[in-house]
Amino acid sequence: MKAMLLDRISLVEEKPLKLVELPAPIPGQNQILIKVSTCGVCHTEIDEIEGRISPLRLPMILGHEIVGRVEKLGQGASKFKKGDRVGIAWINWACGRCAFCLKGKENLCDKAKWTGKDVHGGYAQYTLVSEGFAYPIPESFNDLKAAPLLCAGVVGYRALRISGMEDGGVLGLYGFGASAHIIIQVAKYKYPHGRVFVFTRPKQKEHQNLARKLGADWVGSTDDTPPEKLNCAIDFTPVGEPVRQALRNLQKGGRVVINAIRKTTSIPELDYTEHVWYEKEMKSVANVTRRDAEEFLPLAAEIPIVPETQEFNLEDANEALILLKEGRMHGAGILKIDG
Ligand SMILES: [Zn+2]
Ligand SMILES: [Zn+2]
């Protein structure tokens, strides 16, 4: 099979992913072999390539927003049949026995494996997953539009739930890339009397225009003061400063949820009175559970979410990641993998 392989930690600008030919993997006990059709490009890949969160071993095939069809069943696998269309997300496996798993918090499992970090992911023509960690894809989404739902959508959905947003409230979204442009659609649907304020990098006109098109009630840049305080905010940016800005703009008792696996810069020093006092909270969202995916995918079809996607060939994964790093991706970047 063709795959784009990472064999060393380096800057994304050095285009480290190499196109290689590898044997297709063989499904083990309870696993299924997936013929990959599309795979989303996520900011986490940039963190992996640049070593802020290291793959378990190198070389590694990255990619955790995978849509494809079941090609082969391993021994004991019975949940799907050959030809079924399924999705794979960031959570690739969890132990099911630890204190976290038993409480439904498999996103915090110490033994969990993450797709495209601990096991090979979807920047390839074929990949493996345990059948319990694959999800049916609603029919209304084609392979291209389904891919960004699997991380940008599912993790964003978890962040929105954790934010404590209520109908009638004001939600702030910091950064307006793949995840935020999906989550604004969920928020508008679930909280019809709520308002959504969007903060982007200064002069990021394309992202600001997309935010307005998707119903943002106010759009500005990350250092702007919005017309009203925020009841809650989700920070999707890769840097530290917007966390402080969001805390500053929070209403009393409000919460900032940070939706990023790593930050490229530190969160600057906080002033207790300005950023923390009045019961303000800050919380990260770590990974996802299967339940997040199982709840979100049908909801995405019901709304229905319309993802903006920019398409690339598998061979052009390096170029897609550079665009994403520069903040120039329009909506979600998706690799199309032809068989
Ligand atoms: Zn991701
Ligand atoms: Zn566990």
Side-chain angles (χ1 to χ4, degrees), residues 42-45 64-65 90 151-152 155:
C42 175
H43 213 280
T44 298
E45 277 97 83
H64 56 262
E65 301 184 277
W90 174 238
C151 177
V155 184

Side-chain angles (χ1 to χ4, degrees), residues 92 94 107 117 133 177 205 208 260 265 331:
N92 198 276
N107 60 310
K117 176 184 154 323
F133 292 82
K205 292 294 165 212
Q208 296 190 344
T265 59

Side-chain angles (χ1 to χ4, degrees), residues 95-109 158 161 289 291:
C95 83
R97 293 182 198 169
C98 71
F100 291 119
C101 281
L102 291 175
K103 276 191 273 182
K105 294 183 177 176
E106 58 192 7
N107 60 310
L108 304 180
C109 175
R158 182 175 182 84
R161 180 148 51 80
T289 64
R291 198 190 118 199

Side-chain angles (χ1 to χ4, degrees), residues 15 51 57 75 116 153 158 166 227 241 248 252 265 320 336:
K15 303 187 179 177
R57 59 191 140 73
Q75 258 203 353
R158 182 175 182 84
E166 290 173 350
E241 176 62 26
R248 182 174 65 86
K252 296 172 189 179
T265 59
K336 239 182 135 324

